[in-house]
Amino acid sequence: MTESTIQPDSMIEMIKVSKVYPPDVKALSSISLSIDRGEMFFLIGMSGAGKTTLLKLLCNMETPTNGLIEVAGHQIHQLKGAKLAKIRQKIGVAYQDFKLLDNRTVAENIAISMEVSYKKPTIIKKRVRDLLDQLLLSDKHDTMAGELSRGEQQRVALARAVANSPTLILVDEPTGNLDSTTTARVMNLLNKCNHAGATIIIATHDESIYRNSQHRILELREGKIFSLQGGSPS
Amino acid sequence: MNFWFAVLRQAGRNLRQTWPSQIMTLLTVGLSVLLFALFFLIYQNMLNVGDKLGDDLRLIVYLQEEPGPEMQEQLRRKITNFDEVEQIKFISKEDAYKRFSEQLGDDRDVLDDLPTDFLPASIEVTPKKNLRSLAQVQLFSEYLNKLPGTIKVQYGQEWVERFFYFTKLVSLVVVLSGSLLILTSIFKVAHTIRLTIINRQAELELLKLVGATNNYIRTPFLMEGLLQGLLGALAGIAALYLIYTWIKLKFSGPGLLHLFDFTFFNGPTIFTIIVISITLCAVGSYTSIQKFLRK
Ligand SMILES: Nc1ncnc2c1ncn2[C@@H]1O[C@H](COP(=O)(O)OP(=O)(O)OP(=O)(O)O)[C@@H](O)[C@H]1O
Ligand SMILES: [Mg+2]
């Protein structure tokens, strides 16, 4: 049973989710949360609060110790093989540690997410150039990812996450190493994706990107929901 | 079409990154194919020789008394009880005498003083012309020896036995080198692909995360295995063909090899060897990649 029985237009449903890393690190406890399709959602909290863990649960990089998680109507942790692959193609993730392939060019790194869903090479090329333009990286097209600065790598990771036009975008610390101009570019791109219909969850320490937003902000403290403010999920 | 484009691109990347170990694998596979094919070729040619020699193979059963028609029928039944045979021919004492005198030609007058029934009657049994009957010719002769009224059974005992043991030896070597082929190709290919996988762990993990299907990840490695098997087999057989022509050239002219036709494999056999090699290498790569995917 993987079809949603809860809310048809919610992208994410979490019910009493906990995560304990072995041996006994309680990263998340009893998180219940519902995020609508098309919503932009901020996840904040001190270092070690559990933001990354929550995102990893959503993309099935980690399995929850307890509780139920539904992504786009699927209990993502019960999916396997081709079904899991298919839903992962619809989830773009910009990892906190980037996970770039150091010995591949920037263009190749971004292309990977599109290659696995068999996009045409011409379309891939065009999309890569377009994204590099938006993120002020046009001149890095053929640079090896390993030779980039951290700020540049961060943007390449983001470009890869959004390249395949996923319906759910998970972004972990997208602006940690960036100046304000570049940060604005990054947020621009994410807003664009959001307007195009993507659900976006951003985990961040950077107050400047969520301070004046209309979106909901969830604060985690020691693995629990401390506060949920803003927005009006109607 | 996009799938195969992606697969080929990925396989190309694999080759570019690990070509030294790929070449080593190719050599190993080629060498084991060569070894196996060499012994198999020898074996096959020995079978041909065996067939030729088998043409002359005949067991002669000398009888105490001339069998009447009823007895003949009974003997015939008993002989075919043991095995299918090509031919059973009864030679009466008189026939034997005639034959003998024909063989003597001009000297036949030495027989003048002897009675025409001094030679024993006999049965000529020609076994089926295959290696199996060659292998059990001794058993057959023992069996015939126990038939009622048998004095003695004769056949070219010496060479038949020697030849048979030699064929057995070669077939053993064929089996051994065949197992060697199986082991080396599966393990060497599996090992190389495991190396590639370790080399590209980060990338393969990432591919899984961005939603690559198992087929997307697996197929390039399978192709690599197939290619190793195909090229290895072709190289091995080509090398064997060179050796074969060299031997033929070297030993042409009168000699042992001229007693029989030394022949190379026919098309279907070559095809089978290639298919086997490809299958083994594919199995090797499949097990490696499956181990990774199951994690
Ligand atoms: N793989 C792991 N094994 C064990 N413990 C882990 C693992 N990953 C995270 N943790 C622990 O779980 C807790 C939450 O970690 P998490 O990475 O989710 O925090 P975070 O909010 O993303 O922090 P930051 O802002 O520094 O990125 C921390 O105490 C961390 O040490
Ligand atoms: Mg984190």
Side-chain angles (χ1 to χ4, degrees):
Chain A
M1 219 209 52
T2 55
E3 290 309 300
S4 170
T5 47
I6 307 164
Q7 266 184 30
D9 55 345
S10 77
M11 176 57 91
I12 286 166
E13 289 290 342
M14 297 178 79
I15 298 170
K16 295 203 167 161
V17 173
S18 346
K19 174 69 187 176
V20 179
Y21 287 109
D24 59 350
V25 184
K26 291 199 180 74
L28 290 175
S29 32
S30 200
I31 303 284
S32 294
L33 181 64
S34 166
I35 298 175
D36 288 345
R37 280 176 199 272
E39 196 178 344
M40 187 182 263
F41 190 91
F42 287 97
L43 201 56
I44 63 171
M46 286 185 352
S47 178
K51 305 180 294 293
T52 299
T53 303
L54 201 152
L55 294 184
K56 281 182 175 172
L57 289 177
L58 293 180
C59 66
N60 200 11
M61 258 182 88
E62 295 284 354
T63 41
T65 315
N66 269 310
L68 179 84
I69 301 179
E70 280 193 6
V71 177
H74 299 281
Q75 291 186 32
I76 194 166
H77 297 282
Q78 287 177 4
L79 295 181
K80 273 200 286 260
K83 277 188 181 157
L84 177 62
K86 199 156 185 212
I87 197 163
R88 274 178 160 169
Q89 288 177 15
K90 291 274 134 208
I91 305 176
V93 188
Y95 302 92
Q96 193 168 13
D97 57 356
F98 313 143
K99 297 197 191 300
L100 297 179
L101 303 174
D102 288 346
N103 53 359
R104 297 284 190 81
T105 67
V106 166
E108 283 173 329
N109 267 283
I110 298 174
I112 280 188
S113 63
M114 292 180 278
E115 284 173 0
V116 298
S117 49
Y118 310 124
K119 292 269 166 9
K120 286 204 183 88
T122 49
I123 292 178
I124 294 180
K125 261 186 211 146
K126 195 163 166 293
R127 178 80 171 140
V128 168
R129 293 226 176 264
D130 186 38
L131 285 169
L132 288 178
D133 263 357
Q134 294 186 52
L135 293 171
L136 305 173
L137 287 169
S138 303
D139 55 331
K140 302 292 184 197
H141 186 275
D142 297 319
T143 311
M144 292 293 155
E147 296 165 8
L148 299 175
S149 74
R150 285 189 64 76
E152 287 163 342
Q153 290 182 342
Q154 199 164 33
R155 280 173 284 159
V156 174
L158 181 72
R160 185 182 64 199
V162 304
N164 202 28
S165 309
T167 49
L168 174 61
I169 301 174
L170 308 176
V171 197
D172 204 343
E173 290 295 347
T175 57
N177 303 289
L178 304 181
D179 56 88
S180 58
T181 318
T182 326
T183 298
R185 285 292 190 141
V186 165
M187 288 317 291
N188 243 338
L189 176 60
L190 286 173
N191 281 320
K192 226 170 163 184
C193 295
N194 186 227
H195 286 137
T199 309
I200 302 185
I201 304 177
I202 304 172
T204 186
H205 293 289
D206 185 352
E207 235 197 290
S208 73
I209 63 174
Y210 63 83
R211 198 170 34 213
N212 296 316
S213 83
Q214 304 299 308
H215 304 297
R216 287 199 293 162
I217 303 165
L218 176 79
E219 183 174 354
L220 288 175
R221 271 195 201 174
E222 293 176 351
K224 297 189 182 71
I225 295 181
F226 176 74
S227 69
L228 179 57
Q229 16 169 318
S232 46
S234 50
Chain B
M1 196 213 104
N2 277 327
F3 173 74
W4 288 107
F5 177 77
V7 163
L8 288 176
R9 181 181 47 209
Q10 197 70 2
R13 281 175 188 157
N14 287 355
L15 283 179
R16 229 178 308 143
Q17 274 185 8
T18 54
W19 62 267
S21 57
Q22 305 278 2
I23 287 178
M24 281 307 295
T25 311
L26 200 62
L27 283 179
T28 316
V29 174
L31 213 64
S32 27
V33 168
L34 171 64
L35 218 62
F36 169 73
L38 173 67
F39 289 118
F40 191 59
L41 185 66
I42 293 173
Y43 181 68
Q44 186 190 286
N45 276 286
M46 289 195 61
L47 289 192
N48 289 344
V49 177
D51 267 3
K52 285 234 176 86
L53 296 177
D55 283 352
D56 308 331
L57 184 62
R58 208 170 288 155
L59 292 115
I60 300 173
V61 185
Y62 292 103
L63 300 171
Q64 264 163 357
E65 285 175 36
E66 187 125 19
E70 223 169 273
M71 189 63 186
Q72 282 192 10
E73 206 39 55
Q74 211 175 336
L75 283 168
R76 203 181 276 278
R77 225 179 313 121
K78 282 197 169 138
I79 291 169
T80 46
N81 254 354
F82 181 84
D83 198 5
E84 296 259 313
V85 294
E86 186 83 23
Q87 196 190 29
I88 298 175
K89 197 170 161 195
F90 286 90
I91 314 259
S92 66
K93 291 183 173 194
E94 210 170 314
D95 290 338
Y97 181 83
K98 266 188 213 149
R99 260 201 205 178
F100 192 36
S101 71
E102 266 163 36
Q103 276 167 12
L104 286 175
D106 291 342
D107 298 328
R108 75 175 59 117
D109 39 327
V110 296
L111 296 177
D112 285 351
D113 293 339
L114 294 167
T116 54
D117 61 352
F118 87 103
L119 286 168
S122 60
I123 318 171
E124 260 184 37
V125 182
T126 317
K128 286 261 183 217
K129 288 187 187 86
N130 56 36
L131 200 75
R132 196 169 63 92
S133 40
L134 204 59
Q136 58 180 11
V137 68
Q138 197 184 348
L139 279 177
F140 200 8
S141 97
E142 274 163 22
Y143 175 81
L144 294 176
N145 222 343
K146 287 195 197 107
L147 289 180
T150 305
I151 309 174
K152 177 178 170 188
V153 182
Q154 244 183 8
Y155 63 98
Q157 264 132 340
E158 283 267 302
W159 72 260
V160 170
E161 266 159 46
R162 250 187 247 157
F163 181 80
F164 173 65
Y165 282 120
F166 192 50
T167 329
K168 237 180 163 177
L169 187 74
V170 175
S171 70
L172 188 72
V173 175
V174 169
V175 170
L176 284 181
S177 62
S179 331
L180 192 74
L181 168 73
I182 293 174
L183 291 181
T184 48
S185 32
I186 290 188
F187 285 109
K188 186 70 188 167
V189 170
H191 179 70
T192 317
I193 296 211
R194 205 168 303 139
L195 277 187
T196 317
I197 290 173
I198 290 169
N199 237 310
R200 315 186 49 187
Q201 188 98 21
E203 179 185 349
L204 296 177
E205 297 286 357
L206 182 72
L207 280 174
K208 276 202 215 171
L209 288 178
V210 296
T213 56
N214 282 351
N215 273 336
Y216 183 95
I217 298 175
R218 182 165 39 201
T219 315
F221 289 102
L222 283 181
M223 295 253 303
E224 206 175 287
L226 293 183
L227 213 63
Q228 296 277 17
L230 175 68
L231 295 181
L234 287 179
I237 288 176
L240 181 62
Y241 189 73
L242 287 182
I243 294 174
Y244 163 81
T245 14
W246 180 77
I247 289 178
K248 263 214 145 169
L249 275 177
K250 198 86 181 165
F251 293 94
S252 62
L256 180 69
L257 287 172
H258 251 235
L259 279 177
F260 55 93
D261 277 337
F262 191 47
T263 54
F264 200 65
F265 297 127
N266 55 13
T269 311
I270 293 178
F271 182 75
T272 310
I273 292 177
I274 292 176
V275 168
I276 289 174
S277 163
I278 288 178
T279 313
L280 292 177
C281 292
V283 167
S285 66
Y286 188 81
T287 50
S288 264
I289 186 68
Q290 224 35 29
K291 234 181 243 163
F292 169 79
L293 287 177
R294 239 181 272 121
K295 276 192 304 186

